[in-house]
Amino acid sequence: MALAISRLTTLTFATLRPSLSRIHRPFLIKRLRCISSFSLASEMSSPEKKTAPYGSWKSPISADVVSSAEKRLGGIAIAGDGRLVWIESRPEEKGRAVIVKEPGESEDKPVDLIPENFAARTLAQEYGGGTLAIKDTTIIFSNYKDQRLYKHSIGGSSPVPLTPDYGGPLVHYADGVFDPHFNRYITVMEDCRASSLNPVTTIAAIPFSDGDVQEPKQLISGSDFYAFPRIDPRGRRMAWMEWSHPNMPWDRSQIWVGYFSENGEITQRVCVAGADSALVESPTEPKWSSNGELFFITDRNSGFWNIYKWVEDKNEVVPVYSINAEFTRPLWVFGISSYDFLEKDGVNHIVCSYRKNGQSYLGILNSELGSFSLLDTPFSDVSNIVSGKDYFYVEGASASHPLSVAKVTLDDKLAEVKEFSIVWSSSPDLAKYRPYFSTPEVIEFPTEISGQNAYAYFYPPTNGDFQALSDEKPPLLVKNHGGPTGEAHGILDLNIQYWTSRGWAFVDVNYGGSTGYGREYRERLLGKWGILDVNDCCSCAKFLVKHGKVDAERLCIMGRSAGGYTTLACLAFKDTFKAGASLYGVADLSLLRAETHKFESCYIDNLVDSEKDYFERSPINSVDKFSCPVILFQGLDDKVVPPDQARTIYKALKEKGVPVALVEYEGEQHGFRKAENIKFTLEQQMVFFARLVGKFDVADDITPIKIDNFD
C-alpha cells in the first residue's frame, strides 16, 4: 500500500500542482490514499495467500529489523560549506549519539565527525536536545559521558574541552549559539552541583580562548527555565525565552530581548511577549532575520501557535500569518527549529509548516505580504527546518516514508519544488517490506463528553502473504502517547508495522490533551489526567468494536512514560481491555511528584486537582481493581520515572495474584536506546499478549519470560 501511495503522490505532485489549492489538497491526498488502498487490496487478494488466524501471520518485519531501524535524530544544522550535519543515535552502538555530515562529491557515504570515545548528547532537563552548534567548520557539542562542552574542527583530530571539569556530569549545557562579536559561546546552563532535583538554570557565556578553560559567566538568571538564546546579526541584542513554575513552557512563557553593553553584558531588557497577565499565551522560538527583525511563535488570542513579528520602535507584536493551525510543538526538548528564513530580492521569506487535523502543510510565508504558499513534497508530517542559501533541509515523514531528512531546492520564484532528495533516513532499506505495510486511517470518534470528539490513527492488519479466517475479527492494540502533552503521528513506523503485519489491528490515540489541535484541545486534560485520557482510549476501542473493525474480546493497550500511566489507569479503573503493557510508566502519582526532575516537578499539579485525586487516580492504590494481565518494562537509570514505580506496582499485582511480569534494563534511561533491549521489549509484548489474550500461536521463535501467577 505504501508503495502505491508513493508512486501516485509523486506523479500527482509533478503533474497536478498548478491546479491544486490550499482547500482541495487535503481532500486529494485522502482520495489518493483510497485509490492506493484499493489498488493494493486488489493486488494482494491473490489465490496464493495463506489463510491463518489473525496474530499468527509470519512477517519479515522482525524485531531485529525494527531495532536496527530505531535510529533517532538529535538535531540538524548546516556546516559552512552548505552541507547538512546531524546527530543520530545508533542502537547497534548501545544508543551512542554520533555527529555525522552529509557526504561531499568525492565521498560515497556520510562521514562521522567525532571519535568513537565521544557521544553528542546533553542531559539538560533530562530530555536534552540542542546539543550541537556549527559555525563554518567549528562544532560545539555536549559530550554525554562528562556533559562538558567540546570544541571540534571538522576534519580535525580530537575535540578540545571548552568548559571546566566538575568531577562528573554535574553541569549541563544546551541550545547554544556562537557570539562572534565577543568571541564566545552563549548557552543555556543547568547547574546540578548544589541539587540534582532542583538545579539552577541560567543563560551563560563561555569565552573562546587558546589558553586555560574558563568558568562560564552568567548573563541572564532569575527564572526557573530558559531556552532559545539568539543573537541578532549585528550583535547588539539577544532574544530568549523564559518561564517559571508552576507553568510548563506551553502553558505560559515570555520572550525577552536584552541589549549588550560594550563589554558584552546585558544592560537593558524588554519583555516582547508574555508580560500581560490578562493575555494567556506561550510564546516560543524567537529568531532574528538577516536584517535584524525578530520573529517568534505564540498562541495569543486564537489559541493556536502562529508566527508573529516584533516591531521594536513601538514595542508592538504583530501577526505575520493567522490560521487555526499549529506552527510549532511543545518544548519537550531544546533546539526545536520549526521555521527558518530564505532571502529573495531583499525580502525575508519564511520556510515553515503548520499542522492541522493531523497533517502538516509545508510552505513559504512571505513576511511582508502575509501570504502562505504551499509546497508539494511527499512529507505529510514535518518537524524541524534549517535553510541554506537557496535551499533548505526538512525533517519529516509520511504514511509511506519513515522519519527522514530531505534537501529541498526551489525554483527562482520560491513557488515550486525543483528538487527533493532524501539525505538521511531512520529506516533506509524498506522497499522489500512494502507489501506488509499498513496505511493509517484518520478516525474521529465520540468521547464520553457530549459534543466532544477525539482523534486517532487506525492501522488495519496487512500482510501480502496472509488473509484471515472469514468469520474472525483481529485483536487490537491501543497505543496512547507519552507526555501526556504530546501527539501521535500517522507516519511509517516499524514499531507499528511489526504488529499489523502479524495480523493485529493497531490504533494510535490522540486523546483530549494532545497537541496539534490548539490550546483548547490541549487543555482538556487540565485537572483530568487519569480520567479524560482513560475515557478517550476506552471510547476509541469501543468505537472500533462497534464498527466491526476489531474483536471485543481481544483488546489490549500499551503506552510509554505518561502513556504507561494511562495504560495502568485503564486497567485499574475500566474493564475495556484484557491486558496491558507499561513501558517506564507511572503507577504512583504522589511518588512521581516527589521524585521527578525539576522540569516536570509542577507539571502534574496542573493535571491533577487535589491530594485526594493524587491518591484516587494512582493505579498503585487500586490494585484490588486489577483483574487482567500486565507486563512492565523499566530502565534502571531512569530519572524521569524512577524504577520504584514499576517495582511497586509489580510487587502489589504479584501479591494480588494477577498475571504480571517485570523486565528491568541496566544502563537504560527514560526510553530504550540499545538494540537488544528494543528487540526484547517488542518480542515479549507480542508473546505476552498472544499467550494470555490472543488465542493464537505467534509465528516467530520467541522464548517467553516467566509470568508470575500464570507460569
Side-chain angles (χ1 to χ4, degrees):
M1 188 180 298
L3 181 59
I5 287 178
S6 178
R7 286 199 299 262
L8 282 169
T9 305
T10 303
L11 176 63
T12 302
F13 289 154
T15 60
L16 299 184
R17 173 61 181 88
S19 65
L20 291 181
S21 69
R22 184 163 55 221
I23 296 174
H24 293 105
R25 184 172 178 266
F27 171 75
L28 179 59
I29 288 174
K30 289 179 182 178
R31 290 281 299 163
L32 285 172
R33 286 177 177 169
C34 292
I35 293 169
S36 302
S37 301
F38 177 79
S39 300
L40 185 65
S42 300
E43 276 180 24
M44 293 173 58
S45 299
S46 61
E48 293 78 16
K49 275 197 171 186
K50 303 172 186 175
T51 300
Y54 283 118
S56 68
W57 300 349
K58 189 169 183 60
S59 168
I61 305 174
S62 66
D64 278 317
V65 170
V66 176
S67 63
S68 65
E70 276 287 284
K71 287 191 297 183
R72 303 181 188 180
L73 272 178
I76 57 176
I78 298 180
D81 62 1
R83 284 186 281 158
L84 183 71
V85 173
W86 65 89
I87 298 175
E88 66 179 33
S89 66
R90 297 173 176 170
E92 71 276 13
E93 295 184 34
K94 309 296 183 184
R96 174 175 170 253
V98 185
I99 302 176
V100 187
K101 188 178 182 184
E102 179 184 1
E105 292 183 2
S106 61
E107 298 162 327
D108 59 357
K109 63 179 181 179
V111 181
D112 289 0
L113 297 183
I114 56 175
E116 292 183 359
N117 58 327
F118 284 85
R121 182 182 166 203
T122 178
L123 294 177
Q125 292 182 182
E126 293 299 329
Y127 297 111
T131 303
L132 169 74
I134 299 178
K135 182 175 175 56
D136 299 327
T137 61
T138 301
I139 298 173
I140 305 294
F141 71 97
S142 292
N143 185 45
Y144 175 61
K145 185 175 182 181
D146 58 11
Q147 287 297 291
R148 298 173 73 183
L149 283 179
Y150 283 79
K151 183 179 180 181
H152 184 53
S153 295
I154 295 177
S157 54
S158 186
V160 176
L162 197 60
T163 53
D165 182 357
Y166 296 112
L170 301 175
V171 179
H172 313 142
Y173 308 91
D175 215 2
V177 291
F178 286 82
D179 182 5
H181 312 283
F182 294 100
N183 193 35
R184 61 187 180 178
Y185 188 72
I186 293 180
T187 179
V188 174
M189 183 173 79
E190 183 183 69
D191 191 343
C192 303
R193 286 176 290 178
S195 170
S196 60
L197 284 179
N198 190 30
V200 176
T201 303
T202 59
I203 295 177
I206 299 164
F208 292 130
S209 65
D210 297 329
D212 295 336
V213 171
Q214 300 180 38
E215 281 286 334
K217 184 178 182 180
Q218 203 173 95
L219 285 180
I220 304 292
S221 62
S223 288
D224 289 322
F225 304 99
Y226 295 93
F228 299 110
R230 299 294 184 260
I231 300 168
D232 82 349
R234 299 178 182 88
R236 295 190 305 110
R237 302 160 295 177
M238 180 175 75
W240 69 89
M241 173 188 177
E242 65 179 58
W243 71 98
S244 290
H245 288 319
N247 293 309
M248 297 301 284
W250 49 82
D251 295 326
R252 282 179 177 266
S253 60
Q254 296 179 335
I255 298 292
W256 286 77
V257 170
Y259 294 83
F260 289 122
S261 66
E262 291 184 358
N263 63 357
E265 301 281 351
I266 297 290
T267 56
Q268 179 187 350
R269 64 183 72 181
V270 58
C271 187
V272 171
D276 185 353
S277 60
L279 182 63
V280 178
E281 64 175 327
S282 52
T284 183
E285 289 199 65
K287 192 171 288 189
W288 300 96
S289 68
S290 60
N291 59 6
E293 290 183 308
L294 180 66
F295 293 79
F296 61 94
I297 297 174
T298 189
D299 59 347
R300 58 172 56 190
N301 300 323
S302 71
F304 289 90
W305 276 312
N306 286 189
I307 297 179
Y308 285 73
K309 182 173 71 173
W310 178 50
V311 182
E312 183 177 14
D313 58 350
K314 298 179 181 179
N315 192 25
E316 290 181 355
V317 169
V318 295
V320 178
Y321 185 75
S322 299
I323 185 175
N324 286 348
E326 304 273 52
F327 279 82
T328 190
R329 57 198 186 279
L331 187 69
W332 280 104
V333 298
F334 289 105
I336 290 175
S337 181
S338 301
Y339 68 100
D340 210 345
F341 302 102
L342 277 177
E343 189 174 332
K344 177 72 174 176
D345 299 328
V347 177
N348 276 304
H349 298 266
I350 300 174
V351 189
C352 55
S353 75
Y354 64 78
R355 191 154 181 84
K356 188 176 180 67
N357 297 330
Q359 181 170 319
S360 297
Y361 298 87
L362 179 67
I364 301 292
L365 174 58
N366 186 310
S367 62
E368 291 189 357
L369 300 178
S371 61
F372 187 90
S373 302
L374 283 170
L375 296 173
D376 286 322
T377 75
F379 288 163
S380 60
D381 194 286
V382 172
S383 50
N384 293 315
I385 298 168
V386 294
S387 65
K389 186 177 180 181
D390 55 359
Y391 59 90
F392 62 91
Y393 292 93
V394 57
E395 180 184 335
S398 73
S400 57
H401 289 80
L403 178 64
S404 307
V405 179
K407 182 178 181 179
V408 182
T409 305
L410 303 178
D411 64 5
D412 291 339
K413 296 181 180 179
L414 304 184
E416 301 279 349
V417 175
K418 189 166 66 175
E419 184 178 350
F420 180 95
S421 58
I422 300 295
V423 176
W424 178 91
S425 176
S426 59
S427 313
D429 302 316
L430 295 182
K432 60 186 175 183
Y433 304 120
R434 292 198 180 277
Y436 305 89
F437 288 162
S438 175
T439 299
E441 303 165 8
V442 178
I443 62 171
E444 183 175 355
F445 60 91
T447 69
E448 291 194 3
I449 300 175
S450 177
Q452 280 192 0
N453 290 350
Y455 309 92
Y457 296 98
F458 175 68
Y459 298 78
T462 306
N463 186 306
D465 301 327
F466 286 91
Q467 61 186 7
L469 304 171
S470 59
D471 59 347
E472 186 189 15
K473 289 183 172 58
L476 172 69
L477 182 58
V478 174
K479 176 178 173 285
N480 50 95
H481 60 70
T485 309
E487 183 183 0
H489 296 263
I491 65 175
L492 181 56
D493 182 350
L494 292 190
N495 281 284
I496 295 174
Q497 304 299 331
Y498 177 83
W499 294 90
T500 55
S501 63
R502 284 165 173 75
W504 281 75
F506 192 104
V507 66
D508 211 349
V509 184
N510 275 321
Y511 48 79
S514 301
T515 61
Y517 303 90
R519 181 182 282 268
E520 183 179 346
Y521 193 86
R522 190 168 74 241
E523 291 188 345
R524 284 186 187 181
L525 202 60
L526 293 181
K528 298 178 181 178
W529 193 31
I531 298 176
L532 189 139
D533 51 320
V534 167
N535 289 342
D536 284 1
C537 286
C538 293
S539 295
C540 183
K542 293 174 182 176
F543 176 83
L544 292 170
V545 169
K546 179 181 178 181
H547 285 79
K549 299 287 188 180
V550 299
D551 185 348
E553 298 304 314
R554 294 190 289 177
L555 304 179
C556 299
I557 185 169
M558 67 83 62
R560 302 179 177 94
S561 188
Y565 165 71
T566 300
T567 293
L568 294 174
C570 283
L571 300 179
F573 307 129
K574 299 287 185 176
D575 58 3
T576 304
F577 299 101
K578 307 303 180 183
S582 170
L583 282 65
Y584 39 95
V586 179
D588 187 333
L589 294 174
S590 296
L591 184 62
L592 177 67
R593 180 175 56 174
E595 292 185 340
T596 197
H597 57 135
K598 177 184 175 183
F599 178 60
E600 293 183 83
S601 58
C602 294
Y603 181 33
I604 310 168
D605 289 337
N606 298 330
L607 301 172
V608 182
D609 275 336
S610 65
E611 292 300 323
K612 178 184 178 184
D613 292 322
Y614 267 94
F615 182 87
E616 291 182 349
R617 296 187 204 170
S618 294
I620 188 63
N621 299 322
S622 297
V623 170
D624 59 308
K625 298 179 181 178
F626 278 84
S627 60
C628 62
V630 183
I631 187 167
L632 308 155
F633 300 88
Q634 180 69 43
L636 295 181
D637 291 346
D638 193 338
K639 294 181 181 178
V640 178
V641 180
D644 282 350
Q645 293 276 349
R647 290 171 175 170
T648 303
I649 192 73
Y650 164 72
K651 182 180 178 182
L653 292 174
K654 182 179 178 181
E655 290 177 353
K656 183 182 184 287
V658 173
V660 64
L662 170 62
V663 178
E664 296 181 324
Y665 297 123
E666 291 185 2
E668 291 283 19
Q669 298 171 322
H670 198 65
F672 307 146
R673 294 173 176 265
K674 300 177 182 179
E676 62 269 26
N677 296 338
I678 296 169
K679 173 187 176 182
F680 192 80
T681 301
L682 199 53
E683 289 183 334
Q684 291 305 319
Q685 286 181 83
M686 173 66 72
V687 75
F688 180 86
F689 290 145
R691 294 179 69 200
L692 284 88
V693 178
K695 303 176 184 176
F696 56 80
D697 294 322
V698 296
D700 306 86
D701 184 14
I702 302 172
T703 302
I705 60 172
K706 179 186 176 183
I707 303 171
D708 293 298
N709 303 319
F710 182 77
D711 290 321

